[in-house]
Every structure is written in structure tokens, then in C-alpha cells.
Amino acid sequence: MINFNVPPYTGKEIEYMKQAVENQKICGDGPFTRKCSEYIEELTQTTKCLLTTSCTHATEMAAFLIDIKEGDEVILPSYTFVSTANAFVLRGARVVFVDIRPDTMNIDETLIEDAITERTKAIAPVHYAGVGCEMDTIMDIARRYNLAVVEDAAQCIMASYKGKALGTFGEFGCFSFHETKNLSMGEGGALLIRDVRDIEAAEILREKGTDRSRYFRGQVDKYRWQNYGSSYLPSDMNAAYLYAQLELAEEITQARLARWNQYMELLTPLAKEGKIELPYIPDHCTHNAHMFYIKTKDMEERSRLIEHLKKKDILAVFHYVPLHSAPAGMKYGRFHGKDKYTTKESERILRLPMFYKLTEDEVEYITGQIKEFYK
Ligand SMILES: *Cc1c(COP(=O)(O)O)cnc(C)c1O
């Protein structure tokens, strides 16, 4: 059976976790958490990285930090994971969905401006499959209308737009290190902070509303309750697991890219015959092979292909029932403009197995079975 995902494992994780235990520092913000944060800051060239318990939590933190309030509106795609919307809905905002581009499955940047009202507070672009949204356009709109930008960069470690790391454009960027992502710590994430002036508020929010971070740095002699807050810091054991993967981030990414390129090469003939569609990567985007997907003619054909692959011991999956058509989406949001592509494209997309240790032979077998199906 070829699984759809196998969580990345490099071999050093256990050794580092053992070290974390021996350090007698298994709570948050220990040595491995610091190492991971510094590594990510260096890698992305961002001002500050705070490790969190998930990307969901990082996005919730961002919603607090840009001061989302009851009645505010946030613009995002409907084709995304629920967490992008939940973070703002939890603060009482309405989510305003706009259509996606069929080529990258990212928010259509040309439709954002029309969805802005006097209540709009933020834009939350999602870089689907580690392929950047049109950040030049989005940042320009944000500047002209004075809107905050929170990037859902859950799938984006090691990916960039015009040479700049995804997650570093907006005020805040949110990474995920869930076991389904390119690098993992089981459950976990990171909040990337662009502006120095946001760091202190973020640290306080993350540390139960206290200035314990300043206390640990020796900047104050006792820590006190400063503001509302919660607990968003992961155990140092989980950070130790992640650190082993960060050290091999380049190797993991290259291994995935090799399989991604192989899929592309072997499936191009089918695409040329018009049987399927393949992903598109704009020239100015460097992706991280988070995902390899194809698009079938329609939902019915997709179901038959999934069945065919299952019989051949291959697990292929689809995702994202568009949020605007889900019960909570109808309650907390609205779709602005026409749903030209969101529903249609979401019904055609099929994700093929993609993980660190996927082999060349496996990709050959999988693509062979897809060709067999279309014969
Ligand atoms: C995985 C994912 C999330 C959630 O990440 P967690 O770390 O599990 O909270 C959010 N948005 C997108 C686009 C994702 O792919």
C-alpha cells in the first residue's frame, strides 16, 4: 500500500528529544525552541519567529495582534482549511470569501479590491501547495486601504515569492509543522513577525498575558500579568523533534522536489492529450513540493480514479469543501462576487502521494496506474 502521507522522519529526532529530556527542560521555550526559532529567522530572514502549538494557534494570535473585533471583515479564499477562517471568526469577525485562480488555486488578487468595505480590516492570503499568492498586488492593496495582511503560510516552509520567503510579507505569517507538512513536530507551528514593534505584544499574548519572556532574558526582575493572553508555546521535546528536521530542511525539500518533477514529467503526455491538468508554478515562485495534484474532468471521473488507484493499493485524496458552502461558512461568512472556480476546481482536484521518502519506483508505479485508467 502506498500511503498518501508518511510523516517525515530523519533519524536524529529521538536523539534530540532524549537531549531535551536530559536537559530537564521539557516545558516551552527551552534550548531547542530557541534553536528552532533562530534557525527559522535565519532561513526566512524575518524579524522574529515564535514557535507555537499549531498554525491554527499562530493564526489566532495574529487575529488578536491585529486587534480584530466584532463586526470587522476579513478577506480570504473559500478554498482553504478551516483554521484560516476560524481565527478571525473567533474574534467576532465576518469572513468575506473571494474566488480563486484556477491555475494556482490561490486567491484571485484581482478580485480583492472589489470586496473591500469600510469594515474590512485584513486580508488573509493562503499560499496553496507552497506556491506564493501575488504578494506584490496584495501588499499594494493593503497599503492603499490600510489593511493588515496575515499570511496562511501553513504549507510554505522553504518556499518563496520573488526570492523572499513566504510568510514574511504581511504583518504576520503562520507556518504549520503538523505531521502532514514538509517539516514536522507532530503538532506545532510558528508565528513570523515582520515588525519589531509587534514582538513584545506577541510574546505577552503567547505567555498567558505575562512578560515572562522579558523576565527570562533578565530584562525585568519579576513577571506580571500585563494583558489578556493564553498559552501558545510547544514543549521543548516537540521542538527537539522539529530541530532535527530543520537541520535537514534542504535535503527534505530537494527529495520532495525530485519526486514532484518526476510526477510532472511522467504525467505531461496525459496532460498534452487533454485528459488531465497539471499544477502551474509561476516563474517568480519557488515552491517546496508540498503537494502534487492533478485535475480530472469532473467529480465523477475523480471518484472513479480514486477507486481505481485504491484497487492498485494507492491512496489518493482530495480536500477543502469550500468554506462558503459549509454550515459555519454560511453562518459566519459570505462569498463576494461569483464562484466561478472555487467549487468547480475543488471538485476536480486529486492529490497524489507525496512525502519525504516516496521513492522513484513508487512514482513510476502511481503514474503508470493513472495512465492505465485513462487508456
Ligand atoms: C495544515 C494547515 C493549517 C493548520 O495547521 P495546524 O498546524 O494543523 O493548525 C492551516 N491552513 C492550511 C492552509 C493548512 O494546510
Side-chain angles (χ1 to χ4, degrees), residues 233 247 260 293 302 324:
L233 52 166
E247 282 187 326
W260 196 97
Y293 64 79
R302 182 177 70 181
H324 74 281

Side-chain angles (χ1 to χ4, degrees), residues 54-56 80-81 83-84 126 152 154-155 176 178 181 188 320:
S54 64
C55 175
T56 301
T80 182
F81 189 58
S83 296
T84 326
V126 181
D152 182 334
Q155 308 175 356
S176 173
H178 184 260
K181 303 303 198 275
Y320 301 158

